[in-house]
Amino acid sequence: MVVKDTELPYLRRCVELAARALDAGDEPFGSVLVGADGTVLAEDHNRVASGDRTRHPEFDLARWSAAHMSPEERAGATVYTSGEHCPMCSAAHAWVGLGRIVYVASSEQLGGWLAELGVPAPPVRTLAVREVAPDVAVDGPVPELVEEVHALHRRFHTGR
């Protein structure tokens, strides 16, 4: 499936949330959970600066959906996010039975940006969502917004 123009506002909100995380001194990631009817149900940004490295927005939205949505509602929902899910978040997404994922920047793109900046590799190998959760529908990257996400990561790692 291709990302539709009507989905761009959700993705723009993800970029805004990523910028909010950055402004709070955290890594720039943001996500929005949207129901099948287009209603924004929940949103969050990275909170790993707290010391809990599992405080990714995608992981927190998976937990939120398990507590507040039926299995059918979860299956019809979409998670929009500034960056492709990490393996932990991909697994959480699949385990709770959420529907589609739409991301702005891919894990491969992020890995390339971080390598260019000399950032050490994370302790968990970067994998595409499809490698971790092959039955989850995934769309991305979204070229219209990739440079904005790239700029946020550059700013986080270089201060400029």
Side-chain angles (χ1 to χ4, degrees), residues 24-27 45-56 60:
D26 219 318
E27 295 177 19
H45 60 75
N46 234 28
R47 298 177 189 279
V48 300
S50 68
D52 181 350
R53 300 292 298 170
T54 68
R55 293 295 312 272
H56 297 189
D60 285 345

Side-chain angles (χ1 to χ4, degrees), residues 9 40 45 63 69 71 78 89 100 116 129 145 149:
V40 173
H45 60 75
R63 282 188 177 144
M69 299 171 73
T78 300
C89 295
R100 183 168 162 245
E116 287 173 7
V129 171
L145 300 172
V149 172

